[in-house]
Amino acid sequence: MDTRTTRRALLAAALVAPAVAHAQAWPDRPVRIVVAFPPGASTDVLTRAVANALQPVLGHPVVVENRPGAGGNIATTAVRRGAADGSVFLAHSVAYAVNPSLFRNAGYEAFDLEPVAMMASTPNIITVNPEKLQVATLQELIAAARSRPLDYGSSGIGTTTHLGMELLFRSLARVEVQHVPFGPAQAVTAVVGGQVPVGSTSLPPALPMVREGRLRGIAVTGARRDPALPDVPTVAEQGFPGFEALTWFALMAPQGTPAAIADRMNAEVNRVLSAPEMRQRLDGMGFAPDVRGRADFAAYLRLEVGKWASVVRTSGATAE
């Protein structure tokens, strides 16, 4: 190795060393995770499970704070303005990728925050109140919507539970349905209570009600049937090949958060998600853990931003 190469290697090591030391020292205080949705929502349930498992690993409290509103934009803009020192993270769903194209002013662009870690994904599920709507298949539901006005409740404006239904019913089946936005858990309650006859939510909040028979599962929106409800067919199986709309959940951080801290958080989250007991727990709740590096997550996020921006344009969906 010549003198110039040696100097470059030493300089590179000198630049990397402080970042490594910073990551090793982090955290030196409680870590706060701001959840973009209310307590009981899928994002909240998953985040609390991950946070509880992270706490002994990080050696400091991991505090979960719910800041719902505006489809998740309130929490996102709050974290966007937060300190970029590893003390605060955002827990959001796929709506994070949707909102910049859905809202006239979401308050952020998708890469205004730093992608840190995917946590999990889940298919959405279309359900009906069996006492209010006597249908058992997606084609029967579409026929019912053609015969009379039908309302459906979703997890909120701009979620894939909303846009997926718009794509399926309006664009593909060419039938009009009326959207009524709720929160994720609230949408399930609304269908069970008969406020709306049809629901579209992520799988976890609806799963107990389907298992108890208080809701009937009509279709899941994944590429394959979900092991939590193996008897519920996919949308693709029921006349719409290739249809897929997932709800995913991830952690973001304020832009400028040191890469070493974001990398360590990614590694710790992946380690927690890879534990057999965690995988078993999440599988039973309808979540599929998603373990991937930060670069892979960033690439996936770009694809999702483009995909859902196209659906927003096609559907004409907007939010204020």
Side-chain angles (χ1 to χ4, degrees):
M1 184 180 292
D2 60 30
T3 303
R4 182 176 298 176
T5 303
T6 301
R7 285 176 179 170
R8 286 176 179 167
L10 290 172
L11 178 60
L15 292 174
V16 169
V20 172
H22 195 184
Q24 290 174 340
W26 176 86
D28 58 359
R29 69 190 81 174
V31 173
R32 187 164 55 102
I33 301 179
V34 180
V35 177
F37 299 100
S42 295
T43 310
D44 175 70
V45 171
L46 173 64
T47 301
R48 289 181 186 277
V50 172
N52 287 340
L54 281 174
Q55 190 158 294
V57 175
L58 296 180
H60 283 274
V62 180
V63 180
V64 177
E65 173 188 329
N66 298 88
R67 295 199 63 178
N73 294 342
I74 289 175
T76 303
T77 53
V79 174
R80 179 174 177 263
R81 300 188 189 106
D85 58 4
S87 63
V88 62
F89 295 86
L90 171 72
H92 213 313
S93 72
V94 62
Y96 176 86
V98 175
N99 288 355
S101 61
L102 182 75
F103 285 79
R104 183 174 300 173
N105 181 14
Y108 71 98
E109 295 297 330
F111 282 86
D112 285 351
L113 278 79
E114 191 71 40
V116 174
M118 284 285 280
M119 291 190 289
S121 64
T122 180
N124 299 328
I125 185 169
I126 301 169
T127 59
V128 299
N129 181 317
E131 295 181 358
K132 300 293 183 180
L133 197 57
Q134 286 75 46
V135 300
T137 69
L138 182 57
Q139 292 300 337
E140 289 178 1
L141 178 57
I142 290 170
R146 287 200 173 105
S147 69
R148 58 189 164 112
L150 268 188
D151 296 342
Y152 76 92
S154 83
S155 299
I157 294 172
T159 62
T160 57
T161 65
H162 165 215
L163 295 178
M165 287 286 279
E166 295 295 302
L167 174 62
L168 175 59
F169 278 79
R170 295 182 191 274
S171 298
L172 300 179
R174 300 196 177 281
V175 60
E176 291 294 315
V177 286
Q178 182 62 45
H179 177 226
V180 183
F182 294 91
Q186 292 85 346
V188 172
T189 301
V191 183
V192 170
Q195 291 175 257
V196 288
V198 183
S200 174
T201 67
S202 60
L203 180 57
L207 187 57
M209 295 295 101
V210 176
R211 285 174 169 165
E212 291 175 17
R214 299 178 69 184
L215 293 179
R216 177 178 293 137
I218 299 298
V220 292
T221 64
R224 57 189 60 84
R225 296 192 186 199
D226 194 274
L229 290 174
D231 294 333
V232 179
T234 66
V235 170
E237 287 179 87
Q238 300 185 75
F240 300 92
F243 187 94
E244 184 177 32
L246 298 178
T247 295
W248 50 259
F249 311 92
L251 293 179
M252 316 293 291
Q255 193 63 251
T257 296
I261 289 178
D263 287 342
R264 184 174 170 212
M265 186 62 151
N266 174 272
E268 300 296 359
V269 169
N270 286 345
R271 188 173 294 113
V272 162
L273 292 172
S274 298
E277 60 273 18
M278 178 65 80
R279 284 188 170 274
Q280 183 177 6
R281 179 182 178 189
L282 296 184
D283 284 347
M285 295 162 62
F287 294 109
D290 192 326
V291 174
R292 64 176 78 200
R294 289 181 60 225
D296 189 10
F297 172 30
Y300 179 73
L301 180 59
R302 289 188 187 279
L303 291 175
E304 286 288 278
V305 169
K307 170 186 174 180
W308 291 110
S310 177
V311 174
V312 168
R313 287 193 299 271
T314 301
S315 70
T318 59
E320 296 297 331

PDB file of all heavy atoms in Angstrom, residues 126 138-139 142 146 163-177 221 235-236 238-245 308 311 314-315:
ATOM      1  N   ILE A 126     -61.994  -7.395   2.888  1.00  0.00           N
ATOM      2  CA  ILE A 126     -63.331  -6.868   2.639  1.00  0.00           C
ATOM      3  C   ILE A 126     -64.301  -7.723   3.438  1.00  0.00           C
ATOM      4  O   ILE A 126     -64.308  -8.955   3.310  1.00  0.00           O
ATOM      5  CB  ILE A 126     -63.680  -6.901   1.141  1.00  0.00           C
ATOM      6  CG1 ILE A 126     -62.664  -6.085   0.334  1.00  0.00           C
ATOM      7  CG2 ILE A 126     -65.094  -6.369   0.903  1.00  0.00           C
ATOM      8  CD1 ILE A 126     -62.774  -6.286  -1.167  1.00  0.00           C
ATOM      9  N   LEU A 138     -67.315 -12.152  -3.513  1.00  0.00           N
ATOM     10  CA  LEU A 138     -67.077 -10.817  -4.061  1.00  0.00           C
ATOM     11  C   LEU A 138     -68.026 -10.523  -5.214  1.00  0.00           C
ATOM     12  O   LEU A 138     -68.537  -9.402  -5.329  1.00  0.00           O
ATOM     13  CB  LEU A 138     -65.618 -10.716  -4.519  1.00  0.00           C
ATOM     14  CG  LEU A 138     -65.184  -9.363  -5.086  1.00  0.00           C
ATOM     15  CD1 LEU A 138     -65.424  -8.237  -4.084  1.00  0.00           C
ATOM     16  CD2 LEU A 138     -63.702  -9.411  -5.486  1.00  0.00           C
ATOM     17  N   GLN A 139     -68.279 -11.496  -6.059  1.00  0.00           N
ATOM     18  CA  GLN A 139     -69.192 -11.255  -7.176  1.00  0.00           C
ATOM     19  C   GLN A 139     -70.607 -10.967  -6.691  1.00  0.00           C
ATOM     20  O   GLN A 139     -71.312 -10.129  -7.267  1.00  0.00           O
ATOM     21  CB  GLN A 139     -69.175 -12.451  -8.135  1.00  0.00           C
ATOM     22  CG  GLN A 139     -67.857 -12.629  -8.894  1.00  0.00           C
ATOM     23  CD  GLN A 139     -67.506 -11.431  -9.765  1.00  0.00           C
ATOM     24  OE1 GLN A 139     -68.374 -10.649 -10.163  1.00  0.00           O
ATOM     25  NE2 GLN A 139     -66.221 -11.252 -10.049  1.00  0.00           N
ATOM     26  N   ILE A 142     -70.551  -7.354  -5.524  1.00  0.00           N
ATOM     27  CA  ILE A 142     -70.586  -6.439  -6.665  1.00  0.00           C
ATOM     28  C   ILE A 142     -71.998  -6.374  -7.240  1.00  0.00           C
ATOM     29  O   ILE A 142     -72.509  -5.283  -7.573  1.00  0.00           O
ATOM     30  CB  ILE A 142     -69.563  -6.881  -7.729  1.00  0.00           C
ATOM     31  CG1 ILE A 142     -68.148  -6.649  -7.204  1.00  0.00           C
ATOM     32  CG2 ILE A 142     -69.780  -6.132  -9.047  1.00  0.00           C
ATOM     33  CD1 ILE A 142     -67.059  -7.273  -8.059  1.00  0.00           C
ATOM     34  N   ARG A 146     -74.559  -3.105  -7.533  1.00  0.00           N
ATOM     35  CA  ARG A 146     -75.192  -2.667  -8.781  1.00  0.00           C
ATOM     36  C   ARG A 146     -76.703  -2.507  -8.624  1.00  0.00           C
ATOM     37  O   ARG A 146     -77.330  -1.719  -9.338  1.00  0.00           O
ATOM     38  CB  ARG A 146     -74.900  -3.675  -9.901  1.00  0.00           C
ATOM     39  CG  ARG A 146     -73.478  -3.631 -10.405  1.00  0.00           C
ATOM     40  CD  ARG A 146     -73.359  -4.259 -11.799  1.00  0.00           C
ATOM     41  NE  ARG A 146     -72.018  -4.035 -12.312  1.00  0.00           N
ATOM     42  CZ  ARG A 146     -71.075  -4.957 -12.388  1.00  0.00           C
ATOM     43  NH1 ARG A 146     -71.334  -6.183 -11.965  1.00  0.00           N
ATOM     44  NH2 ARG A 146     -69.881  -4.674 -12.881  1.00  0.00           N
ATOM     45  N   LEU A 163     -58.229   3.250  -1.207  1.00  0.00           N
ATOM     46  CA  LEU A 163     -57.858   3.302  -2.625  1.00  0.00           C
ATOM     47  C   LEU A 163     -57.987   1.943  -3.300  1.00  0.00           C
ATOM     48  O   LEU A 163     -58.319   1.861  -4.488  1.00  0.00           O
ATOM     49  CB  LEU A 163     -56.433   3.829  -2.766  1.00  0.00           C
ATOM     50  CG  LEU A 163     -56.233   5.291  -2.323  1.00  0.00           C
ATOM     51  CD1 LEU A 163     -54.779   5.688  -2.467  1.00  0.00           C
ATOM     52  CD2 LEU A 163     -57.132   6.233  -3.111  1.00  0.00           C
ATOM     53  N   GLY A 164     -57.718   0.866  -2.555  1.00  0.00           N
ATOM     54  CA  GLY A 164     -57.895  -0.465  -3.133  1.00  0.00           C
ATOM     55  C   GLY A 164     -59.345  -0.728  -3.506  1.00  0.00           C
ATOM     56  O   GLY A 164     -59.640  -1.323  -4.544  1.00  0.00           O
ATOM     57  N   MET A 165     -60.278  -0.280  -2.665  1.00  0.00           N
ATOM     58  CA  MET A 165     -61.704  -0.446  -2.969  1.00  0.00           C
ATOM     59  C   MET A 165     -62.115   0.431  -4.152  1.00  0.00           C
ATOM     60  O   MET A 165     -62.923   0.021  -4.997  1.00  0.00           O
ATOM     61  CB  MET A 165     -62.547  -0.101  -1.736  1.00  0.00           C
ATOM     62  CG  MET A 165     -62.487  -1.137  -0.634  1.00  0.00           C
ATOM     63  SD  MET A 165     -63.428  -2.642  -1.007  1.00  0.00           S
ATOM     64  CE  MET A 165     -65.096  -2.121  -0.589  1.00  0.00           C
ATOM     65  N   GLU A 166     -61.567   1.637  -4.221  1.00  0.00           N
ATOM     66  CA  GLU A 166     -61.872   2.507  -5.355  1.00  0.00           C
ATOM     67  C   GLU A 166     -61.383   1.869  -6.655  1.00  0.00           C
ATOM     68  O   GLU A 166     -62.080   1.872  -7.673  1.00  0.00           O
ATOM     69  CB  GLU A 166     -61.218   3.874  -5.157  1.00  0.00           C
ATOM     70  CG  GLU A 166     -61.759   4.667  -3.974  1.00  0.00           C
ATOM     71  CD  GLU A 166     -63.214   5.059  -4.152  1.00  0.00           C
ATOM     72  OE1 GLU A 166     -63.528   5.734  -5.156  1.00  0.00           O
ATOM     73  OE2 GLU A 166     -64.036   4.678  -3.300  1.00  0.00           O
ATOM     74  N   LEU A 167     -60.172   1.323  -6.611  1.00  0.00           N
ATOM     75  CA  LEU A 167     -59.619   0.652  -7.786  1.00  0.00           C
ATOM     76  C   LEU A 167     -60.469  -0.558  -8.158  1.00  0.00           C
ATOM     77  O   LEU A 167     -60.820  -0.760  -9.337  1.00  0.00           O
ATOM     78  CB  LEU A 167     -58.176   0.223  -7.498  1.00  0.00           C
ATOM     79  CG  LEU A 167     -57.477  -0.626  -8.562  1.00  0.00           C
ATOM     80  CD1 LEU A 167     -57.354   0.147  -9.879  1.00  0.00           C
ATOM     81  CD2 LEU A 167     -56.104  -1.055  -8.072  1.00  0.00           C
ATOM     82  N   LEU A 168     -60.827  -1.361  -7.174  1.00  0.00           N
ATOM     83  CA  LEU A 168     -61.565  -2.592  -7.437  1.00  0.00           C
ATOM     84  C   LEU A 168     -62.976  -2.315  -7.932  1.00  0.00           C
ATOM     85  O   LEU A 168     -63.407  -2.853  -8.967  1.00  0.00           O
ATOM     86  CB  LEU A 168     -61.609  -3.439  -6.166  1.00  0.00           C
ATOM     87  CG  LEU A 168     -62.439  -4.721  -6.213  1.00  0.00           C
ATOM     88  CD1 LEU A 168     -61.940  -5.656  -7.300  1.00  0.00           C
ATOM     89  CD2 LEU A 168     -62.413  -5.419  -4.854  1.00  0.00           C
ATOM     90  N   PHE A 169     -63.722  -1.485  -7.214  1.00  0.00           N
ATOM     91  CA  PHE A 169     -65.128  -1.295  -7.557  1.00  0.00           C
ATOM     92  C   PHE A 169     -65.322  -0.311  -8.709  1.00  0.00           C
ATOM     93  O   PHE A 169     -65.987  -0.629  -9.692  1.00  0.00           O
ATOM     94  CB  PHE A 169     -65.917  -0.850  -6.317  1.00  0.00           C
ATOM     95  CG  PHE A 169     -66.308  -1.993  -5.431  1.00  0.00           C
ATOM     96  CD1 PHE A 169     -65.399  -2.557  -4.553  1.00  0.00           C
ATOM     97  CD2 PHE A 169     -67.578  -2.534  -5.488  1.00  0.00           C
ATOM     98  CE1 PHE A 169     -65.748  -3.623  -3.740  1.00  0.00           C
ATOM     99  CE2 PHE A 169     -67.953  -3.600  -4.685  1.00  0.00           C
ATOM    100  CZ  PHE A 169     -67.030  -4.152  -3.814  1.00  0.00           C
ATOM    101  N   ARG A 170     -64.738   0.864  -8.597  1.00  0.00           N
ATOM    102  CA  ARG A 170     -65.000   1.885  -9.614  1.00  0.00           C
ATOM    103  C   ARG A 170     -64.250   1.621 -10.922  1.00  0.00           C
ATOM    104  O   ARG A 170     -64.834   1.715 -12.007  1.00  0.00           O
ATOM    105  CB  ARG A 170     -64.634   3.269  -9.073  1.00  0.00           C
ATOM    106  CG  ARG A 170     -65.488   3.723  -7.902  1.00  0.00           C
ATOM    107  CD  ARG A 170     -65.097   5.122  -7.452  1.00  0.00           C
ATOM    108  NE  ARG A 170     -65.721   5.481  -6.188  1.00  0.00           N
ATOM    109  CZ  ARG A 170     -66.946   6.017  -6.078  1.00  0.00           C
ATOM    110  NH1 ARG A 170     -67.659   6.249  -7.158  1.00  0.00           N
ATOM    111  NH2 ARG A 170     -67.432   6.319  -4.882  1.00  0.00           N
ATOM    112  N   SER A 171     -62.960   1.295 -10.823  1.00  0.00           N
ATOM    113  CA  SER A 171     -62.144   1.160 -12.036  1.00  0.00           C
ATOM    114  C   SER A 171     -62.283  -0.206 -12.690  1.00  0.00           C
ATOM    115  O   SER A 171     -62.393  -0.307 -13.911  1.00  0.00           O
ATOM    116  CB  SER A 171     -60.670   1.430 -11.712  1.00  0.00           C
ATOM    117  OG  SER A 171     -60.492   2.741 -11.237  1.00  0.00           O
ATOM    118  N   LEU A 172     -62.265  -1.282 -11.890  1.00  0.00           N
ATOM    119  CA  LEU A 172     -62.266  -2.629 -12.455  1.00  0.00           C
ATOM    120  C   LEU A 172     -63.675  -3.194 -12.621  1.00  0.00           C
ATOM    121  O   LEU A 172     -64.034  -3.677 -13.696  1.00  0.00           O
ATOM    122  CB  LEU A 172     -61.418  -3.556 -11.587  1.00  0.00           C
ATOM    123  CG  LEU A 172     -59.941  -3.152 -11.440  1.00  0.00           C
ATOM    124  CD1 LEU A 172     -59.204  -4.131 -10.529  1.00  0.00           C
ATOM    125  CD2 LEU A 172     -59.256  -3.087 -12.809  1.00  0.00           C
ATOM    126  N   ALA A 173     -64.489  -3.141 -11.563  1.00  0.00           N
ATOM    127  CA  ALA A 173     -65.858  -3.679 -11.641  1.00  0.00           C
ATOM    128  C   ALA A 173     -66.833  -2.675 -12.235  1.00  0.00           C
ATOM    129  O   ALA A 173     -67.933  -3.045 -12.651  1.00  0.00           O
ATOM    130  CB  ALA A 173     -66.331  -4.110 -10.262  1.00  0.00           C
ATOM    131  N   ARG A 174     -66.436  -1.413 -12.260  1.00  0.00           N
ATOM    132  CA  ARG A 174     -67.258  -0.324 -12.796  1.00  0.00           C
ATOM    133  C   ARG A 174     -68.631  -0.254 -12.124  1.00  0.00           C
ATOM    134  O   ARG A 174     -69.687  -0.287 -12.756  1.00  0.00           O
ATOM    135  CB  ARG A 174     -67.407  -0.442 -14.322  1.00  0.00           C
ATOM    136  CG  ARG A 174     -66.071  -0.382 -15.044  1.00  0.00           C
ATOM    137  CD  ARG A 174     -66.198  -0.102 -16.518  1.00  0.00           C
ATOM    138  NE  ARG A 174     -64.899   0.002 -17.140  1.00  0.00           N
ATOM    139  CZ  ARG A 174     -64.087   1.077 -17.095  1.00  0.00           C
ATOM    140  NH1 ARG A 174     -64.490   2.156 -16.436  1.00  0.00           N
ATOM    141  NH2 ARG A 174     -62.924   1.075 -17.706  1.00  0.00           N
ATOM    142  N   VAL A 175     -68.575  -0.159 -10.808  1.00  0.00           N
ATOM    143  CA  VAL A 175     -69.790   0.001 -10.030  1.00  0.00           C
ATOM    144  C   VAL A 175     -69.525   1.067  -8.973  1.00  0.00           C
ATOM    145  O   VAL A 175     -68.422   1.162  -8.423  1.00  0.00           O
ATOM    146  CB  VAL A 175     -70.215  -1.340  -9.390  1.00  0.00           C
ATOM    147  CG1 VAL A 175     -69.126  -1.874  -8.469  1.00  0.00           C
ATOM    148  CG2 VAL A 175     -71.519  -1.200  -8.619  1.00  0.00           C
ATOM    149  N   GLU A 176     -70.530   1.883  -8.694  1.00  0.00           N
ATOM    150  CA  GLU A 176     -70.384   2.981  -7.743  1.00  0.00           C
ATOM    151  C   GLU A 176     -70.639   2.490  -6.322  1.00  0.00           C
ATOM    152  O   GLU A 176     -71.633   1.793  -6.054  1.00  0.00           O
ATOM    153  CB  GLU A 176     -71.372   4.102  -8.073  1.00  0.00           C
ATOM    154  CG  GLU A 176     -71.066   4.844  -9.361  1.00  0.00           C
ATOM    155  CD  GLU A 176     -69.771   5.627  -9.281  1.00  0.00           C
ATOM    156  OE1 GLU A 176     -69.546   6.297  -8.262  1.00  0.00           O
ATOM    157  OE2 GLU A 176     -68.977   5.539 -10.241  1.00  0.00           O
ATOM    158  N   VAL A 177     -69.759   2.857  -5.426  1.00  0.00           N
ATOM    159  CA  VAL A 177     -69.957   2.618  -3.994  1.00  0.00           C
ATOM    160  C   VAL A 177     -69.595   3.910  -3.264  1.00  0.00           C
ATOM    161  O   VAL A 177     -68.788   4.702  -3.751  1.00  0.00           O
ATOM    162  CB  VAL A 177     -69.092   1.451  -3.476  1.00  0.00           C
ATOM    163  CG1 VAL A 177     -69.646   0.120  -3.945  1.00  0.00           C
ATOM    164  CG2 VAL A 177     -67.637   1.601  -3.890  1.00  0.00           C
ATOM    165  N   THR A 221     -56.923  -9.111   0.085  1.00  0.00           N
ATOM    166  CA  THR A 221     -56.350  -8.421  -1.072  1.00  0.00           C
ATOM    167  C   THR A 221     -54.889  -8.770  -1.321  1.00  0.00           C
ATOM    168  O   THR A 221     -54.230  -8.110  -2.123  1.00  0.00           O
ATOM    169  CB  THR A 221     -56.486  -6.897  -0.900  1.00  0.00           C
ATOM    170  OG1 THR A 221     -55.706  -6.496   0.247  1.00  0.00           O
ATOM    171  CG2 THR A 221     -57.930  -6.485  -0.715  1.00  0.00           C
ATOM    172  N   VAL A 235     -59.052 -11.559  -3.716  1.00  0.00           N
ATOM    173  CA  VAL A 235     -59.736 -10.822  -4.787  1.00  0.00           C
ATOM    174  C   VAL A 235     -59.359 -11.430  -6.138  1.00  0.00           C
ATOM    175  O   VAL A 235     -60.207 -11.609  -7.021  1.00  0.00           O
ATOM    176  CB  VAL A 235     -59.361  -9.329  -4.736  1.00  0.00           C
ATOM    177  CG1 VAL A 235     -59.859  -8.592  -5.991  1.00  0.00           C
ATOM    178  CG2 VAL A 235     -59.925  -8.678  -3.477  1.00  0.00           C
ATOM    179  N   ALA A 236     -58.076 -11.771  -6.297  1.00  0.00           N
ATOM    180  CA  ALA A 236     -57.600 -12.331  -7.565  1.00  0.00           C
ATOM    181  C   ALA A 236     -58.312 -13.629  -7.917  1.00  0.00           C
ATOM    182  O   ALA A 236     -58.597 -13.897  -9.093  1.00  0.00           O
ATOM    183  CB  ALA A 236     -56.095 -12.556  -7.491  1.00  0.00           C
ATOM    184  N   GLN A 238     -61.310 -14.312  -7.347  1.00  0.00           N
ATOM    185  CA  GLN A 238     -62.728 -14.067  -7.582  1.00  0.00           C
ATOM    186  C   GLN A 238     -62.973 -13.139  -8.769  1.00  0.00           C
ATOM    187  O   GLN A 238     -63.888 -12.324  -8.768  1.00  0.00           O
ATOM    188  CB  GLN A 238     -63.384 -13.510  -6.315  1.00  0.00           C
ATOM    189  CG  GLN A 238     -63.277 -14.467  -5.123  1.00  0.00           C
ATOM    190  CD  GLN A 238     -64.019 -13.961  -3.917  1.00  0.00           C
ATOM    191  OE1 GLN A 238     -65.251 -14.012  -3.852  1.00  0.00           O
ATOM    192  NE2 GLN A 238     -63.290 -13.463  -2.929  1.00  0.00           N
ATOM    193  N   GLY A 239     -62.119 -13.296  -9.782  1.00  0.00           N
ATOM    194  CA  GLY A 239     -62.386 -12.612 -11.042  1.00  0.00           C
ATOM    195  C   GLY A 239     -61.509 -11.428 -11.373  1.00  0.00           C
ATOM    196  O   GLY A 239     -61.721 -10.773 -12.403  1.00  0.00           O
ATOM    197  N   PHE A 240     -60.500 -11.136 -10.535  1.00  0.00           N
ATOM    198  CA  PHE A 240     -59.639  -9.983 -10.780  1.00  0.00           C
ATOM    199  C   PHE A 240     -58.167 -10.386 -10.674  1.00  0.00           C
ATOM    200  O   PHE A 240     -57.482 -10.057  -9.701  1.00  0.00           O
ATOM    201  CB  PHE A 240     -59.972  -8.849  -9.812  1.00  0.00           C
ATOM    202  CG  PHE A 240     -61.388  -8.380  -9.928  1.00  0.00           C
ATOM    203  CD1 PHE A 240     -62.391  -8.940  -9.127  1.00  0.00           C
ATOM    204  CD2 PHE A 240     -61.742  -7.423 -10.862  1.00  0.00           C
ATOM    205  CE1 PHE A 240     -63.708  -8.531  -9.245  1.00  0.00           C
ATOM    206  CE2 PHE A 240     -63.063  -7.001 -10.985  1.00  0.00           C
ATOM    207  CZ  PHE A 240     -64.052  -7.561 -10.179  1.00  0.00           C
ATOM    208  N   PRO A 241     -57.669 -11.136 -11.665  1.00  0.00           N
ATOM    209  CA  PRO A 241     -56.294 -11.664 -11.614  1.00  0.00           C
ATOM    210  C   PRO A 241     -55.261 -10.560 -11.421  1.00  0.00           C
ATOM    211  O   PRO A 241     -55.373  -9.470 -12.011  1.00  0.00           O
ATOM    212  CB  PRO A 241     -56.122 -12.332 -12.993  1.00  0.00           C
ATOM    213  CG  PRO A 241     -57.509 -12.580 -13.479  1.00  0.00           C
ATOM    214  CD  PRO A 241     -58.363 -11.485 -12.907  1.00  0.00           C
ATOM    215  N   GLY A 242     -54.273 -10.847 -10.580  1.00  0.00           N
ATOM    216  CA  GLY A 242     -53.178  -9.908 -10.360  1.00  0.00           C
ATOM    217  C   GLY A 242     -53.473  -8.821  -9.351  1.00  0.00           C
ATOM    218  O   GLY A 242     -52.580  -8.036  -9.012  1.00  0.00           O
ATOM    219  N   PHE A 243     -54.702  -8.755  -8.837  1.00  0.00           N
ATOM    220  CA  PHE A 243     -55.034  -7.690  -7.881  1.00  0.00           C
ATOM    221  C   PHE A 243     -54.294  -7.918  -6.572  1.00  0.00           C
ATOM    222  O   PHE A 243     -54.314  -9.006  -6.012  1.00  0.00           O
ATOM    223  CB  PHE A 243     -56.537  -7.651  -7.621  1.00  0.00           C
ATOM    224  CG  PHE A 243     -56.962  -6.475  -6.777  1.00  0.00           C
ATOM    225  CD1 PHE A 243     -57.388  -5.308  -7.378  1.00  0.00           C
ATOM    226  CD2 PHE A 243     -56.932  -6.533  -5.386  1.00  0.00           C
ATOM    227  CE1 PHE A 243     -57.783  -4.213  -6.613  1.00  0.00           C
ATOM    228  CE2 PHE A 243     -57.312  -5.453  -4.610  1.00  0.00           C
ATOM    229  CZ  PHE A 243     -57.741  -4.284  -5.231  1.00  0.00           C
ATOM    230  N   GLU A 244     -53.677  -6.857  -6.071  1.00  0.00           N
ATOM    231  CA  GLU A 244     -53.003  -6.916  -4.779  1.00  0.00           C
ATOM    232  C   GLU A 244     -52.950  -5.527  -4.174  1.00  0.00           C
ATOM    233  O   GLU A 244     -52.600  -4.559  -4.843  1.00  0.00           O
ATOM    234  CB  GLU A 244     -51.580  -7.467  -4.910  1.00  0.00           C
ATOM    235  CG  GLU A 244     -50.872  -7.639  -3.571  1.00  0.00           C
ATOM    236  CD  GLU A 244     -49.492  -8.251  -3.707  1.00  0.00           C
ATOM    237  OE1 GLU A 244     -48.831  -8.003  -4.739  1.00  0.00           O
ATOM    238  OE2 GLU A 244     -49.072  -8.979  -2.788  1.00  0.00           O
ATOM    239  N   ALA A 245     -53.323  -5.412  -2.930  1.00  0.00           N
ATOM    240  CA  ALA A 245     -53.237  -4.147  -2.190  1.00  0.00           C
ATOM    241  C   ALA A 245     -52.893  -4.481  -0.750  1.00  0.00           C
ATOM    242  O   ALA A 245     -53.722  -5.020  -0.022  1.00  0.00           O
ATOM    243  CB  ALA A 245     -54.551  -3.377  -2.266  1.00  0.00           C
ATOM    244  N   TRP A 308     -49.128   4.138  -5.919  1.00  0.00           N
ATOM    245  CA  TRP A 308     -50.355   4.700  -5.357  1.00  0.00           C
ATOM    246  C   TRP A 308     -50.657   6.086  -5.898  1.00  0.00           C
ATOM    247  O   TRP A 308     -51.820   6.485  -5.960  1.00  0.00           O
ATOM    248  CB  TRP A 308     -50.299   4.667  -3.838  1.00  0.00           C
ATOM    249  CG  TRP A 308     -50.360   3.259  -3.326  1.00  0.00           C
ATOM    250  CD1 TRP A 308     -49.357   2.548  -2.728  1.00  0.00           C
ATOM    251  CD2 TRP A 308     -51.468   2.355  -3.435  1.00  0.00           C
ATOM    252  NE1 TRP A 308     -49.770   1.272  -2.452  1.00  0.00           N
ATOM    253  CE2 TRP A 308     -51.062   1.122  -2.868  1.00  0.00           C
ATOM    254  CE3 TRP A 308     -52.759   2.477  -3.957  1.00  0.00           C
ATOM    255  CZ2 TRP A 308     -51.906   0.022  -2.817  1.00  0.00           C
ATOM    256  CZ3 TRP A 308     -53.613   1.374  -3.895  1.00  0.00           C
ATOM    257  CH2 TRP A 308     -53.179   0.169  -3.329  1.00  0.00           C
ATOM    258  N   VAL A 311     -52.795   5.302  -8.788  1.00  0.00           N
ATOM    259  CA  VAL A 311     -54.159   4.944  -8.382  1.00  0.00           C
ATOM    260  C   VAL A 311     -54.941   6.192  -7.977  1.00  0.00           C
ATOM    261  O   VAL A 311     -56.123   6.330  -8.307  1.00  0.00           O
ATOM    262  CB  VAL A 311     -54.137   3.918  -7.230  1.00  0.00           C
ATOM    263  CG1 VAL A 311     -55.540   3.661  -6.705  1.00  0.00           C
ATOM    264  CG2 VAL A 311     -53.505   2.607  -7.693  1.00  0.00           C
ATOM    265  N   THR A 314     -55.999   7.966 -11.146  1.00  0.00           N
ATOM    266  CA  THR A 314     -57.039   7.226 -11.863  1.00  0.00           C
ATOM    267  C   THR A 314     -58.381   7.305 -11.155  1.00  0.00           C
ATOM    268  O   THR A 314     -59.424   7.473 -11.781  1.00  0.00           O
ATOM    269  CB  THR A 314     -56.643   5.747 -12.031  1.00  0.00           C
ATOM    270  OG1 THR A 314     -55.401   5.678 -12.746  1.00  0.00           O
ATOM    271  CG2 THR A 314     -57.698   4.966 -12.784  1.00  0.00           C
ATOM    272  N   SER A 315     -58.342   7.195  -9.831  1.00  0.00           N
ATOM    273  CA  SER A 315     -59.583   7.187  -9.056  1.00  0.00           C
ATOM    274  C   SER A 315     -60.182   8.573  -8.882  1.00  0.00           C
ATOM    275  O   SER A 315     -61.373   8.723  -8.634  1.00  0.00           O
ATOM    276  CB  SER A 315     -59.342   6.567  -7.687  1.00  0.00           C
ATOM    277  OG  SER A 315     -58.536   7.428  -6.882  1.00  0.00           O
TER     278      SER A 315
END
